[in-house]
Short mmCIF file of all heavy atoms in Angstrom, two decimals:
data_model
loop_
_atom_site.label_atom_id
_atom_site.label_comp_id
_atom_site.label_asym_id
_atom_site.label_seq_id
_atom_site.Cartn_x
_atom_site.Cartn_y
_atom_site.Cartn_z
N PRO N 166 161.10 88.51 125.26
CA PRO N 166 160.89 88.23 123.78
C PRO N 166 160.10 86.82 123.63
O PRO N 166 159.31 86.77 122.71
CB PRO N 166 162.21 88.27 123.18
CG PRO N 166 163.10 89.05 124.10
CD PRO N 166 162.55 88.70 125.46
N ALA N 167 160.42 85.84 124.41
CA ALA N 167 159.84 84.50 124.11
C ALA N 167 158.32 84.59 124.64
O ALA N 167 157.59 83.90 124.01
CB ALA N 167 160.56 83.34 125.02
N LEU N 168 158.05 85.26 125.64
CA LEU N 168 156.59 85.35 126.13
C LEU N 168 155.85 86.20 125.10
O LEU N 168 154.66 85.88 124.96
CB LEU N 168 156.58 86.03 127.42
CG LEU N 168 157.24 85.23 128.61
CD1 LEU N 168 157.08 86.03 129.92
CD2 LEU N 168 156.66 83.84 128.85
N GLU N 169 156.41 87.09 124.38
CA GLU N 169 155.69 87.84 123.39
C GLU N 169 155.36 87.18 122.07
O GLU N 169 154.78 87.66 121.13
CB GLU N 169 156.43 89.10 123.06
CG GLU N 169 156.58 90.04 124.28
CD GLU N 169 157.60 91.16 124.10
OE1 GLU N 169 158.24 91.24 122.92
OE2 GLU N 169 157.77 92.06 124.91
N LEU N 170 155.82 85.83 121.95
CA LEU N 170 155.55 85.08 120.75
C LEU N 170 154.14 84.37 120.83
O LEU N 170 153.88 83.55 119.90
CB LEU N 170 156.67 84.01 120.58
CG LEU N 170 158.06 84.62 120.36
CD1 LEU N 170 159.03 83.56 120.25
CD2 LEU N 170 158.02 85.31 118.89
N ALA N 171 153.38 84.61 121.91
CA ALA N 171 152.21 83.82 122.10
C ALA N 171 151.21 83.91 120.80
O ALA N 171 150.75 82.89 120.39
CB ALA N 171 151.47 84.41 123.29
N GLU N 172 151.04 85.14 120.29
CA GLU N 172 150.08 85.19 119.23
C GLU N 172 150.60 84.57 118.00
O GLU N 172 149.85 83.73 117.23
CB GLU N 172 149.87 86.75 118.82
CG GLU N 172 148.93 86.97 117.72
CD GLU N 172 148.48 88.37 117.59
OE1 GLU N 172 148.77 89.21 118.51
OE2 GLU N 172 148.00 88.74 116.53
N LEU N 173 151.93 84.58 117.71
CA LEU N 173 152.45 83.90 116.50
C LEU N 173 152.40 82.41 116.60
O LEU N 173 152.04 81.71 115.66
CB LEU N 173 154.00 84.33 116.33
CG LEU N 173 154.76 83.66 115.27
CD1 LEU N 173 154.08 83.91 113.88
CD2 LEU N 173 156.18 84.13 115.25
N LEU N 174 152.77 81.91 117.87
CA LEU N 174 152.79 80.45 118.01
C LEU N 174 151.40 79.97 118.34
O LEU N 174 151.23 78.66 118.39
CB LEU N 174 153.83 80.16 119.17
CG LEU N 174 155.19 80.30 118.73
CD1 LEU N 174 156.18 80.05 119.88
CD2 LEU N 174 155.66 79.53 117.47
N TRP N 175 150.42 80.82 118.50
CA TRP N 175 149.06 80.35 118.49
C TRP N 175 148.57 80.03 117.12
O TRP N 175 147.94 78.92 116.83
CB TRP N 175 148.14 81.29 119.15
CG TRP N 175 146.66 80.96 119.15
CD1 TRP N 175 145.75 81.24 118.09
CD2 TRP N 175 145.98 80.17 120.06
NE1 TRP N 175 144.52 80.77 118.35
CE2 TRP N 175 144.64 80.14 119.64
CE3 TRP N 175 146.34 79.55 121.22
CZ2 TRP N 175 143.66 79.33 120.27
CZ3 TRP N 175 145.26 78.83 121.97
CH2 TRP N 175 143.97 78.77 121.50
N ALA N 176 148.91 80.89 116.18
CA ALA N 176 148.56 80.75 114.71
C ALA N 176 149.33 79.61 114.08
O ALA N 176 148.81 78.99 113.13
CB ALA N 176 148.70 82.08 114.02
N HIS N 177 150.63 79.50 114.44
CA HIS N 177 151.51 78.55 113.90
C HIS N 177 152.12 77.60 115.03
O HIS N 177 153.30 77.77 115.35
CB HIS N 177 152.56 79.18 113.03
CG HIS N 177 151.95 80.10 112.07
ND1 HIS N 177 151.52 79.72 110.80
CD2 HIS N 177 151.84 81.48 112.04
CE1 HIS N 177 151.11 80.73 110.10
NE2 HIS N 177 151.16 81.81 110.87
N PRO N 178 151.32 76.76 115.62
CA PRO N 178 151.83 76.08 116.83
C PRO N 178 152.75 74.97 116.40
O PRO N 178 152.74 74.34 115.37
CB PRO N 178 150.48 75.61 117.43
CG PRO N 178 149.60 75.36 116.36
CD PRO N 178 149.90 76.42 115.37
#
Side-chain angles (χ1 to χ4, degrees):
L168 296 178
E169 292 170 359
L170 294 171
E172 185 174 338
L173 174 63
L174 292 180
W175 176 270
H177 306 279

